[in-house]
């Protein structure tokens, strides 16, 4: 699903955010990505979302070689990703329903299907009764669940999350992680960047660590060692 | 290839074909309505923009109308322009009439009319209102004349005609008042060039105003643009709401300009008629016909859309996801 082959990323000015990273995440895996801030977690996620391009090496995500993905194909590539942000990235002037519907509207789904699928996604995160609320009227944990509903509403093959529990208390964090596990159980590949090592330790998933742009753990899967 | 990937690729292949066109039309419709609602919900700030567009378009359109009215007027003047040939006393009535007929044969001449000396005297004395004893003259001092109405289309023809007439032995004097028509035509050409220049200048102003309005709209929705880009929105999808905003601004500005132009023309109609009447001129105020109205609305919309495109091209890349 995600294949990094000797991928490096240097920013203008010479800072090397990622150095010769080899990483392979198979379809259906759930993987945690850890590391101190500045270790390259964000850069790695940005490369996968095709916000940034590798300086060298080959990167293949969901069957697409991102090095060669034309600008015009990027939107269609991103439609197959589900992305959860630390700060939710919701549209504050629109309702919960409209926020979750956004990926479907962008993909040009029929309004009838949109309603059905938005309700299904909201039901899954337990916010069905809040569909007409504005994000501002919800708690931080609820907002994050809206973000998750939006990320999964199109049933993406790959779910990416950047510090999804960054602003939440431990109980809420466990709920959110349980949600991710649930999506993983039905076949979604999940990659979660998090520095909440205590929480990660309690879950039995593969963990990869970055330090100063380099991968510390083995590039291939097979559970935590 | 896994079944899942196959499914994803099928979905992608189908996208431009079935269902996609319906979705495309739906998004166009939604964007058009949403953009219009945006203007309606913020009447004051949006009015500032489309009023600037309206005023910028009103000025050259009014000049254009004035020019069209003047051109209509000069066409009539040219048709009415005439040359009067005063014949020598030695020329007999028959000679004068023959010459009149000869001149009428010439291609650059529309018509001629012989005015005998007696006839001239009659109409002259009739035109006098005072019954002056001093005008009781023994003999008629007025000469016979020929009034020639030339085809006023080309000034070279007129010059040739003038040359011929002055060389005729029977002609004592020529009263010719054509140079001013030529001058007026040149003047109108100059004004027309000026109006074109003004229209271009104000068109650029509209471009800048719309560009700035759209820039602010992009600025206020930067976060939203970043979010939808990450959710897989295409450039066209992101641009569409702004393009409809530009379209409505242009169309509203054009319609307001039409109302302003018509209002001002109607307002000026009466005093202008009175003024022209004192010069014995027909007050023909031209209105914008359907074709001209269409051109006004179309150019307003196109200029506005161009400004929107420039603003999008310049500012959309600032809203890349981080």
């Amino acid at each position: 699903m995600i294949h990094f082959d000797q991928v490096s990323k240097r920013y203008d000015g010479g800072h090397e955010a990622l150095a010769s990273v080899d990483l392979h995440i198979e379809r259906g895996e759930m993987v945690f990505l850890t590391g101190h801030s500045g270790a390259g977690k964000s850069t790695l996620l940005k490369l996968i979302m095709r916000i940034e391009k590798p300086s060298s090496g080959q990167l293949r995500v969901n069957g697409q070689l991102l090095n060669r993905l034309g600008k015009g194909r990027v939107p269609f590539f991103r439609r197959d990703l589900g992305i959860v942000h630390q700060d939710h990235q919701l549209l504050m002037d629109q309702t919960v329903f409209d926020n979750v519907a956004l990926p479907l509207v962008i993909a040009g789904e029929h309004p009838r299907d949109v309603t059905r699928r938005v309700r299904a996604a909201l039901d899954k995160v337990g916010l069905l009764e809040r569909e007409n609320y504005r994000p501002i009227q919800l708690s931080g944990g609820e907002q994050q669940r809206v973000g998750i509903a939006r990320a999964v509403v199109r049933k993406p093959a790959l779910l990416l999350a950047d510090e999804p529990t960054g602003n939440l208390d431990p109980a809420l964090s466990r709920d959110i992680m349980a949600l991710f596990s649930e999506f993983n159980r039905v076949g979604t590949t999940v990659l979660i960047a998090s520095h909440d090592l205590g929480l990660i330790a309690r879950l039995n998933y593969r963990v990869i660590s970055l330090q100063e742009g380099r991968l510390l753990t083995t590039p291939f899967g097979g559970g935590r060692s | 290839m896994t079944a899942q990937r196959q499914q994803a690729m099928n979905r992608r292949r189908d996208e431009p074909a079935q269902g996609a066109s319906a979705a495309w039309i739906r998004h166009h419709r939604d964007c058009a309505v949403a953009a219009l609602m945006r203007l309606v919900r913020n009447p004051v700030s949006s009015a500032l923009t489309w009023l600037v567009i309206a005023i910028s378009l009103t000025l050259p359109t009014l000049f254009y109308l004035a020019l069209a009215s003047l051109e209509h007027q000069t066409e009539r003047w040219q048709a009415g322009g005439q040359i009067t040939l005063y014949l020598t006393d030695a020329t007999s009535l028959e000679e004068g009439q023959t010459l009149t007929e000869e001149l009428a044969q010439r291609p650059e001449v529309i018509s001629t009319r012989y005015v005998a000396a007696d006839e001239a005297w009659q109409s002259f004395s009739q035109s006098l209102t005072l019954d002056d004893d001093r005008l009781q003259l023994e003999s008629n001092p007025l000469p016979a004349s020929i009034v020639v109405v030339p085809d006023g289309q080309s000034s070279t023809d007129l010059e040739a005609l003038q040359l011929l007439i002055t060389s005729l032995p029977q002609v004592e004097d020529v009263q010719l008042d054509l140079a001013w028509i030529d001058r007026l035509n040149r003047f109108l050409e100059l004004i027309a060039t000026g109006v074109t220049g003004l229209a271009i200048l104000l068109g650029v102003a509209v471009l800048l105003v719309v560009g700035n309005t759209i820039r602010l709209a992009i600025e206020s929705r930067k976060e939203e643009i970043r979010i939808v880009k990450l959710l897989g929105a295409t450039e066209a999808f992101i641009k569409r709401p702004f393009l409809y905003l530009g379209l409505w601004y242009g169309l509203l500005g054009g319609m307001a300009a039409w109302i302003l132009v018509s209002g001002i023309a109607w307002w000026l109609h009466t005093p202008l008629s009175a003024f022209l009447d004192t010069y014995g001129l027909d007050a023909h105020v031209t209105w914008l016909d359907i074709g001209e109205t269409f051109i006004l609305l179309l150019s307003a919309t196109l200029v506005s859309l161009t400004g929107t495109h420039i603003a999008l091209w310049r500012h959309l890349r600032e809203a890349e996801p981080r």
Side-chain angles (χ1 to χ4, degrees):
Chain A
M1 179 55 91
I2 302 174
H3 299 281
F4 281 73
D5 280 311
Q6 290 294 306
V7 172
S8 297
K9 177 64 187 176
R10 265 177 306 277
Y11 286 107
D12 297 338
H15 171 64
E16 192 166 50
L18 284 181
S20 308
V21 169
D22 273 305
L23 172 65
H24 301 274
I25 295 172
E26 298 307 319
R27 198 171 289 274
E29 262 195 277
M30 176 149 161
V31 178
F32 282 101
L33 176 65
T34 65
H36 298 290
S37 51
K41 291 195 305 268
S42 297
T43 305
L44 195 126
L45 286 176
K46 279 181 188 171
L47 286 173
I48 297 171
M49 297 173 201
R50 183 52 172 73
I51 294 173
E52 301 282 357
K53 275 172 106 171
S55 308
S56 64
Q58 273 206 350
L59 175 56
R60 192 180 287 274
V61 177
N62 197 19
Q64 303 258 11
L65 189 61
L66 293 197
N67 306 60
R68 299 238 184 87
L69 192 67
K71 209 168 169 268
R73 297 303 309 168
V74 172
F76 300 98
F77 163 73
R78 286 190 184 145
R79 287 180 194 180
D80 291 334
L81 307 181
I83 302 169
V84 178
H85 306 266
Q86 178 175 6
D87 56 354
H88 328 313
Q89 300 261 18
L90 301 175
L91 299 178
M92 290 301 170
D93 59 343
Q94 295 188 15
T95 61
V96 166
F97 183 96
D98 289 339
N99 268 285
V100 176
L102 207 51
L104 300 170
V105 172
I106 287 169
E109 302 276 345
H110 194 277
R112 190 181 51 234
D113 299 331
V114 169
T115 308
R116 184 175 52 77
R117 294 175 72 170
V118 169
R119 296 245 163 91
L122 281 174
D123 190 32
K124 216 169 280 173
V125 299
L127 286 174
L128 192 51
E129 74 285 4
R130 300 283 166 92
E131 64 172 33
N132 291 320
Y133 283 50
R134 309 243 157 200
I136 204 79
Q137 297 168 285
L138 304 179
S139 69
E142 286 172 326
Q143 287 189 27
Q144 190 55 287
R145 270 144 66 196
V146 175
I148 292 170
R150 187 183 65 185
V152 300
V153 72
R154 289 199 77 212
K155 298 196 180 1
L158 175 60
L159 189 57
L160 301 169
D162 189 6
E163 301 286 358
T165 59
N167 301 323
L168 303 178
D169 62 48
L172 281 173
S173 300
R174 271 197 302 279
D175 289 350
I176 298 285
M177 287 305 176
L179 263 176
F180 284 120
S181 300
E182 217 171 286
F183 291 123
N184 177 242
R185 265 200 295 281
V186 296
T188 310
T189 311
V190 183
L191 175 62
I192 302 168
S194 175
H195 60 255
D196 193 347
L197 294 173
L199 183 66
I200 294 166
R202 249 172 277 135
L203 300 159
N204 190 28
Y205 290 108
R206 177 179 162 209
V207 178
I208 50 179
S209 301
L210 276 169
Q211 194 173 42
E212 287 170 6
R214 287 172 193 283
L215 218 55
L216 293 180
T217 37
T218 53
F220 289 96
R224 218 149 56 89
S225 50
Chain B
M1 190 178 281
T2 63
Q4 216 172 354
R5 195 190 295 180
Q6 181 67 53
Q7 204 182 353
M9 291 190 73
N10 280 343
R11 190 164 68 229
R12 202 161 298 146
R13 218 174 290 133
D14 286 343
E15 228 140 18
Q18 39 137 319
S21 58
W24 185 78
I25 291 167
R26 212 160 41 230
H27 191 237
H28 268 277
R29 188 198 58 203
D30 293 350
C31 285
V33 172
L36 192 60
M37 290 315 290
R38 241 171 108 87
L39 294 193
V40 172
R41 269 199 300 268
N42 309 299
V44 178
S45 63
S46 67
L48 280 177
T49 299
W50 57 258
L51 267 178
V52 170
I53 298 173
I55 291 164
S56 302
L57 292 168
T58 300
L59 233 59
T61 312
L62 270 181
F63 277 120
Y64 165 79
L65 270 190
L67 209 61
S69 300
L70 265 180
E71 266 163 6
H72 172 84
Q73 199 64 255
T74 57
E75 265 165 37
R76 290 181 58 252
W77 286 336
Q78 272 175 6
Q82 55 184 38
I83 309 171
T84 309
L85 317 180
Y86 295 103
L87 304 178
T88 54
D89 290 341
T91 312
S92 69
L93 185 73
E94 289 75 25
E95 278 177 326
Q97 281 168 341
T98 317
L99 184 62
T100 306
E101 277 156 32
E102 277 172 12
L103 283 172
Q105 302 303 311
R106 298 192 63 84
E108 66 269 30
V109 173
I110 293 172
S111 69
T112 55
R113 191 170 67 87
Y114 181 73
V115 183
D118 291 346
E119 194 189 328
W121 175 246
Q122 241 170 21
S123 69
F124 174 64
S125 45
Q126 269 167 15
S127 72
L128 291 172
T129 47
L130 42 133
D131 197 14
D132 199 325
D133 282 350
R134 277 171 299 177
L135 289 167
Q136 302 296 321
L137 302 171
E138 283 171 24
S139 64
N140 176 8
L142 296 179
S145 60
I146 303 172
V147 176
V148 176
V149 179
D151 176 1
Q153 294 310 311
S154 104
S155 52
T156 49
D157 281 359
L158 281 177
E159 277 160 25
L161 184 66
Q162 190 184 349
L163 213 65
L164 170 89
I165 287 165
T166 43
S167 67
L168 289 171
Q170 300 95 325
V171 173
E172 171 100 64
D173 195 12
V174 178
Q175 194 187 323
L176 175 91
D177 226 3
L178 290 168
W180 72 272
I181 286 183
D182 194 40
R183 264 183 239 132
L184 181 69
N185 275 334
R186 299 266 159 89
F187 178 70
L188 286 179
E189 272 169 34
L190 180 75
I191 297 285
T193 314
V195 171
T196 310
L198 186 75
I200 291 172
L201 213 62
L202 290 168
V204 172
V206 170
L207 221 63
L208 293 176
V209 167
V210 173
N212 194 50
T213 307
I214 299 298
R215 181 184 66 80
L216 291 175
I218 295 171
E219 204 73 43
S220 72
R221 297 177 70 178
K222 223 172 209 172
E223 273 315 305
E224 186 182 339
I225 293 169
R226 282 202 183 100
I227 290 169
V228 298
K229 268 188 182 174
L230 267 183
L231 294 175
T234 56
E235 286 272 293
F237 182 94
I238 293 165
K239 284 179 176 178
R240 210 162 283 147
F242 297 104
L243 287 172
Y244 272 102
L245 206 59
L247 182 123
W248 290 126
Y249 274 130
L251 206 57
L252 279 174
M255 291 195 305
W258 188 89
I259 292 169
L260 277 174
V261 167
S262 305
I264 291 170
W266 176 81
W267 187 51
L268 283 179
H269 183 71
T270 315
L272 195 66
S273 305
F275 171 75
L276 289 176
D277 208 39
T278 60
Y279 286 85
L281 297 173
D282 162 40
H284 179 91
V285 175
T286 315
W287 303 90
L288 287 175
D289 62 28
I290 291 173
E292 286 160 339
T293 303
F294 178 72
I295 289 170
L296 175 67
L297 293 180
L298 187 72
S299 47
T301 310
L302 285 182
V303 170
S304 180
L305 277 178
T306 308
T308 309
H309 267 295
I310 293 171
L312 285 170
W313 172 71
R314 288 203 48 197
H315 300 287
L316 215 51
R317 57 184 125 171
E318 290 164 19
E320 278 301 319
R322 283 177 300 214

